[in-house]
């Protein structure tokens, strides 16, 4: 039910709905909306006048949930119950995060490694979806207060490399917070929108979005044409960001002050204070040339100093890594610097001078798009997207691409791609298949994501059965498998036997997702193993074809015993045995040879007997029965 507020003074209806834009960040989150008076997006501040909500959740023992700046202090006071970086866990299983689990101070449950991770606090368990919903609720509330209206609709941003599971988890978090998530948008796309790119339909541009946040770095190369945003490539590091800048300063101070080392050794909790001081120093060095302060504890007071030159020296190797990623992304997109029209700076850490200078140099640009607040730009873009969805800006379409190929398993454990990697979303694609056995009434459809020919190396997303197909000879059913990838990158699969109209559908909600390292590894593996994969595919295809021929020949002999001579039957059996033996070995040529021998021999008499249905069984791709 929609709530329509009435302004009692004027007697007029207030604006019915606001759709807000939300940047649900690893370190910081924000909510933004289009300002009615200016028509421009603006980030909404909270009671503390700050627009930034640190993505920190304190789960207090009395059940109170504290989010944002007020939760920050508990990082030191009650680390076990203070959750940060929950975005890293979205859509992940414990298996996916084992390596990084040590980085978290809070407890991640590992009893069920395949399903989504849970976080323990006291005697309660929370999913990353619930935890993210607490942040979203906080943002929703501050928007409601500022706008004096009920907020129930939002656009939420995610990194370009987020997969189905991670996007779905983000959507679910929204739902849990009482928000209808109208669209999940890629962060670089939102940032471009904030700079007005893509709003003009005639415009054609290639842009680089450099996003250096608190703990993650992403570079995305986008092509915008006809209002379509195409991600040409993405690269980055999920464990590199402003936190690392802070760490270098902490280490520098510890390395150079023995008394500081002793103080921390005896009072380890002071390390967090030291970190906060380092962050402070970093921020000040974006405007001043030097920083000076004191770390105080009881009667001790230690002077801490650093100047900009030293700071730049410390962080240079970190920045170099990001530049390396930029080069890689350009290479992946097959572009030269002169092809890039604009470079957009996103994330709080791009306030650091040396970062800007290094990015300029890398892309050989004299100007960068950095006039907007780098930590607000994603949320501002999300608000623009929300405005587009609300129908306030006509003719604008926003599209993204899928990072990995999607397909199904065909006979022999082979991946058959239905939607190739880098396809634009939304996308619909369908393909026809048939059965491998006579009278087959059930088919198992297994859905995979990945680039390898052998499905064992790809990720299984789901599985379902198409049942109730009327019994027909092998090869006769026409089964259409359709993949529909919606604008959020969520997949729906349907299977329909076209002769009978029997149909089955599922929404693929994968149990767990991929880290971007895994994604990258999968892509790299597919390139490195391309030759092996090709050999594997041709071996499997030869084997499948042989098995089909064996099946058909055996059935044929069985059915036509009376029509054949004893020699014909004996000879056929001989070639059959040879082929069966060959299929058990991994030699493709041997299989093909035995296949042809059997085929050639039976041809002499098969031609006179073989009926159409059997001939058809030799054609077409088939799916395993369930
Ligand atoms: P995320 O996208 O990861 O949620 P943000 O884009 O908000 O994060 O970036 C947060 C990072 O930006 C933190 O490491 C913070 O210290 C850093 N940062 C914020 N302001 C400044 C500044 N003035 N100078 C340098 N770094 C800054
Ligand atoms: Mg961000």
């Amino acid at each position: 039910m929609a709530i329509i507020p009435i302004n009692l003074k004027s007697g007029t209806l207030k604006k019915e709905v606001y759709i807000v834009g939300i940047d649900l960040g690893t370190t910081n989150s924000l909510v933004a909306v289009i300002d009615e008076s200016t028509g421009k997006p603006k980030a909404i501040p909270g009671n503390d006048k700050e627009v930034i909500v640190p993505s920190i959740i304190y789960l207090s023992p009395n059940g109170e949930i504290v989010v944002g700046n007020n939760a920050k202090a508990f990082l030191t006071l009650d680390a076990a119950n203070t959750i940060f970086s929950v975005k890293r866990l979205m859509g992940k299983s414990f298996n996916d995060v084992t390596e990084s689990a040590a980085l978290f101070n809070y407890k991640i449950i590992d009893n069920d490694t395949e399903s989504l991770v849970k976080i323990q606090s006291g005697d309660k368990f929370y999913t990353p979806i619930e935890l993210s919903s607490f942040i979203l609720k906080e943002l929703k509330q501050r928007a409601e207060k500022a706008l004096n209206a009920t907020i129930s609709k939002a656009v939420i941003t995610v990194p370009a490399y987020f997969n189905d599971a991670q996007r779905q988890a983000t959507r679910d978090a929204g739902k849990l917070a009482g928000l209808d998530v109208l669209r999940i948008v890629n962060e670089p796309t939102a940032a471009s929108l904030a700079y007005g790119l893509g709003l003009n339909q005639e415009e054609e541009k290639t842009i680089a979005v450099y996003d250096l946040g608190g703990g993650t770095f992403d570079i995305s190369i986008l092509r915008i044409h006809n209002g379509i945003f195409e991600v040409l490539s993405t690269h980055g590091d999920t464990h590199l960001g402003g936190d690392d800048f802070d760490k270098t300063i902490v280490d520098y101070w510890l390395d150079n002050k023995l008394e500081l080392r002793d103080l921390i050794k005896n009072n380890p909790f002071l390390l967090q204070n030291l970190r906060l001081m380092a962050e402070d120093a970093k921020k000040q060095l974006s405007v001043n040339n030097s920083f000076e302060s004191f770390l105080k504890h009881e009667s001790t007071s230690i002077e801490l100093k650093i100047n900009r030159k030293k700071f730049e020296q410390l962080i240079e190797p970190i920045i170099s890594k990001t530049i390396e990623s930029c080069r890689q992304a350009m290479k992946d997109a097959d572009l030269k610097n002169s092809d890039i029209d604009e470079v957009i700076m996103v994330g709080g850490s791009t306030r650091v001078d040396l970062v800007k200078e290094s990015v300029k140099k890398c892309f050989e640009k004299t100007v960068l798009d950095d006039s907007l607040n780098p930590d607000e730009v994603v949320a501002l873009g999300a608000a623009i997207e929300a405005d587009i969805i609300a129908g306030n800006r006509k003719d604008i379409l926003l599209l993204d691409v899928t990072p990995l190929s999607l397909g199904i398993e065909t006979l022999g454990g082979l991946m058959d791609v239905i939607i190739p990697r880098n396809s634009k979303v939304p996308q619909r694609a369908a393909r026809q298949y048939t059965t491998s056995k006579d009278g087959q009434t059930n088919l198992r459809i297994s859905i995979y994501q990945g680039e390898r020919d052998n499905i064992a190396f790809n990720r299984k997303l789901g599985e379902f059965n198409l049942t109730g197909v009327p019994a027909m000879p092998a090869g006769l059913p026409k089964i259409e498998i359709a993949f529909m990838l919606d604008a959020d990158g969520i997949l729906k699969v349907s299977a329909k036997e076209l002769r009978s109209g029997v149909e089955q559908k599922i929404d693929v909600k994968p149990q767990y997702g991929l880290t971007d390292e895994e994604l990258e590894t999968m892509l790299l593996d597919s390139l490195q193993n391309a030759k092996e994969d090709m050999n594997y595919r041709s071996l499997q295809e030869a084997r499948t074809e042989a098995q089909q021929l064996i099946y058909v020949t055996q059935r044929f002999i069985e059915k036509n015993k009376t029509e054949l001579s004893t020699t014909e039957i004996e000879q056929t059996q001989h070639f059959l045995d040879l082929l069966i033996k060959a299929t058990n070995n991994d030699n493709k040529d041997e299989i093909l040879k035995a296949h042809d021998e059997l085929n050639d021999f039976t041809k002499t008499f098969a031609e006179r007997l073989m009926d159409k249905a059997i001939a058809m069984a030799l054609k077409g791709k088939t799916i395993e029965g369930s």
Side-chain angles (χ1 to χ4, degrees):
M1 189 186 69
I3 296 167
I4 304 170
I6 299 172
N7 185 330
L8 291 177
K9 251 193 204 154
S10 64
T12 53
L13 293 183
K14 281 190 193 168
K15 181 160 178 178
E16 196 182 343
V17 275
Y18 285 99
I19 307 177
V20 293
I22 292 177
D23 171 6
L24 185 60
T26 312
T27 319
N28 295 314
S29 299
L30 293 91
V31 57
V33 72
I34 299 293
D35 186 306
E36 285 180 306
S37 55
T38 63
K40 292 212 168 87
K42 63 156 201 258
I44 301 174
N47 289 338
D48 54 4
K49 305 272 186 291
E50 303 270 348
V51 294
I52 288 175
V53 178
S55 305
I56 303 170
I57 306 133
Y58 174 53
L59 304 161
S60 86
N62 62 21
E64 201 196 339
I65 292 159
V66 183
V67 174
N69 269 321
N70 294 337
K72 219 171 177 177
F74 294 101
L75 283 175
T76 32
L77 298 174
D78 190 0
N81 298 305
T82 311
I83 318 299
F84 59 91
S85 287
V86 67
K87 186 173 179 177
R88 293 187 188 284
L89 303 175
M90 289 292 266
K92 301 284 178 76
S93 71
F94 184 75
N95 273 343
D96 292 328
V97 298
T98 34
E99 272 145 52
S100 46
L103 298 174
F104 302 103
N105 286 334
Y106 45 86
K107 191 160 185 214
I108 296 177
I109 300 304
D110 57 355
N111 55 0
D112 186 354
T113 51
E114 285 292 300
S115 59
L116 291 172
V117 285
K118 281 208 172 67
I119 289 127
Q120 185 172 7
S121 163
D123 52 6
K124 289 209 183 76
F125 298 90
Y126 298 90
T127 61
I129 294 173
E130 282 171 281
L131 294 165
S132 297
S133 83
F134 297 149
I135 301 172
L136 292 172
K137 261 186 208 151
E138 171 71 28
L139 296 170
K140 173 173 163 0
Q141 277 165 11
R142 70 159 55 185
E144 289 182 331
K145 203 161 163 216
L147 300 169
N148 190 21
T150 312
I151 303 290
S152 61
K153 294 182 163 69
V155 166
I156 305 180
T157 57
V158 297
Y161 60 77
F162 253 32
N163 66 11
D164 280 5
Q166 292 164 303
R167 285 166 198 264
Q168 187 64 47
T170 306
R171 194 169 254 286
D172 290 346
K175 208 181 286 164
L176 214 54
L179 291 169
D180 183 7
V181 181
L182 300 181
R183 187 67 65 86
I184 297 282
V185 185
N186 285 339
E187 286 163 12
T189 301
S192 319
L193 282 173
Y195 277 104
L197 298 167
L199 294 176
N200 176 353
Q201 290 289 301
E202 268 81 72
E203 192 173 61
E204 210 177 306
K205 277 196 164 151
T206 306
I207 59 171
V209 182
Y210 179 101
D211 183 348
L212 189 59
T216 57
F217 167 67
D218 304 304
I219 172 78
S220 313
I221 312 290
L222 308 185
R223 176 167 293 145
I224 310 173
H225 51 99
N226 307 323
I228 295 173
F229 287 73
E230 193 178 344
V231 183
L232 298 181
S233 67
T234 70
H235 212 271
D237 189 330
T238 42
H239 290 281
L240 189 151
D243 297 348
D244 297 296
F245 292 179
D246 307 347
K247 245 177 261 152
T248 61
I249 300 178
V250 168
D251 291 345
Y252 166 70
W253 284 336
L254 286 172
D255 287 347
N256 291 291
K257 279 220 151 79
L258 194 63
E259 37 174 339
L260 180 66
R261 241 178 358 237
D262 288 341
L263 182 70
I264 298 287
K265 204 154 96 201
N266 298 326
N267 307 281
F269 66 91
L270 283 177
L271 190 62
Q272 183 63 23
N273 296 31
L274 193 63
R275 265 196 211 124
L276 291 175
M277 282 181 72
E279 186 178 2
D280 212 27
K282 168 184 77 177
K283 288 183 182 172
Q284 289 205 24
L285 290 173
S286 298
V287 279
N288 301 331
N289 270 323
S290 62
F291 170 88
E292 218 180 300
S293 187
F294 293 89
L295 180 69
K296 297 195 175 91
H297 180 63
E298 291 167 356
S299 58
T300 338
S301 174
I302 299 173
E303 188 184 38
L304 298 171
K305 281 208 255 187
I306 185 164
N307 62 32
R308 190 188 288 195
K309 201 160 156 242
K310 184 75 224 171
F311 173 59
E312 293 189 339
Q313 210 178 334
L314 293 172
I315 61 172
E316 200 279 325
I318 303 170
I319 299 177
S320 284
K321 279 195 199 163
T322 69
I323 298 301
E324 207 30 65
S325 283
C326 293
R327 298 226 162 88
Q328 192 57 49
M330 289 290 287
K331 213 165 138 196
D332 290 352
D334 211 3
L335 294 176
K336 306 183 295 297
N337 276 341
S338 55
D339 298 324
I340 300 289
D341 298 307
E342 319 249 349
V343 182
I344 296 178
M345 299 299 270
V346 183
S349 302
T350 61
R351 284 217 175 83
V352 175
D353 237 15
L354 187 63
V355 171
K356 290 190 202 181
E357 289 315 310
S358 310
V359 173
K360 272 187 199 163
K361 216 192 267 165
C362 168
F363 287 100
E364 297 171 291
K365 292 275 173 291
T366 46
V367 250
L368 303 170
D369 284 326
D370 64 352
S371 56
L372 295 170
N373 239 333
D375 29 34
E376 289 180 15
V377 48
V378 169
L380 298 178
I384 295 176
E385 166 80 31
D387 202 37
I388 295 169
I389 290 176
N392 298 336
R393 299 168 192 237
K394 44 183 177 9
D395 297 342
I396 294 177
L397 214 73
L398 295 171
L399 296 177
D400 289 316
V401 299
T402 174
L404 287 173
S405 300
L406 297 161
I408 64 164
E409 173 183 0
T410 51
L411 217 57
L414 291 176
M415 172 87 172
D416 205 43
V417 171
I418 296 185
I419 297 183
R421 154 182 158 68
N422 272 336
S423 296
K424 290 188 193 85
V425 290
Q427 178 79 242
R428 188 189 182 278
R431 236 170 210 230
Q432 281 187 20
Y433 298 88
T434 188
T435 51
S436 58
K437 296 204 175 76
D438 287 344
Q440 197 175 323
T441 55
N442 290 336
L443 279 122
R444 194 186 61 229
I445 290 133
S446 304
I447 301 138
Y448 284 84
Q449 181 179 39
E451 307 311 310
R452 301 290 297 274
D453 284 330
N454 182 350
I455 49 104
F457 296 119
N458 292 337
R459 271 278 170 136
K460 188 171 192 168
L461 296 180
E463 183 175 88
F464 70 107
N465 287 318
L466 176 65
T467 55
V469 176
M472 283 181 254
L476 207 56
K478 273 188 174 176
I479 295 144
E480 186 183 81
I481 312 277
F483 275 35
M484 276 138 305
L485 196 57
D486 72 15
D488 299 328
I490 292 163
L491 181 67
K492 287 186 169 60
V493 178
S494 71
K496 186 174 185 179
E497 202 289 302
L498 298 176
R499 293 182 197 277
S500 60
V502 174
E503 194 174 6
Q504 218 95 47
K505 282 187 187 139
I506 58 159
D507 285 9
V508 181
K509 285 186 192 154
Q511 280 299 295
Y512 52 85
L514 297 167
T515 62
D516 63 329
E517 284 98 345
E518 279 176 296
L519 193 116
E520 206 172 284
T521 317
M522 283 172 82
L523 292 177
L524 278 178
D525 278 357
S526 73
L527 293 176
Q528 276 156 10
N529 297 299
K531 190 152 174 249
E532 230 171 82
D533 272 13
M534 224 170 70
N535 292 340
Y536 176 81
R537 179 176 280 275
S538 46
L539 173 64
Q540 286 306 92
E541 277 172 359
R543 205 174 254 156
T544 302
E545 214 174 305
Q547 278 158 352
Q548 298 264 86
L549 185 66
I550 294 168
Y551 173 76
V552 170
T553 312
Q554 282 170 337
R555 294 268 335 268
F556 182 78
I557 300 283
E558 195 62 34
K559 260 198 200 159
N560 300 290
K561 258 186 196 139
T562 49
E563 319 268 338
L564 299 166
S565 72
T566 326
T567 353
E568 273 174 338
I569 294 176
E570 274 173 11
Q571 268 304 96
T572 307
Q573 195 54 52
H574 166 73
F575 284 119
L576 260 175
D577 290 343
L578 285 181
L579 183 57
I580 291 168
K581 221 176 106 206
T583 57
N584 291 327
N585 296 332
D586 285 344
N587 185 334
K588 182 194 77 186
D589 295 335
E590 193 190 324
I591 298 172
L592 289 180
K593 188 166 159 266
H595 175 277
D596 290 348
E597 277 170 359
L598 174 64
N599 211 16
D600 288 347
F601 180 75
T602 52
K603 223 197 246 159
T604 51
F605 56 83
E607 266 164 17
R608 65 175 203 256
L609 296 167
M610 199 186 274
D611 58 61
K612 260 192 194 150
I614 293 170
M616 286 186 72
L618 294 169
K619 288 188 214 135
K621 286 182 176 148
T622 53
I623 304 169
E624 203 105 51
S626 62

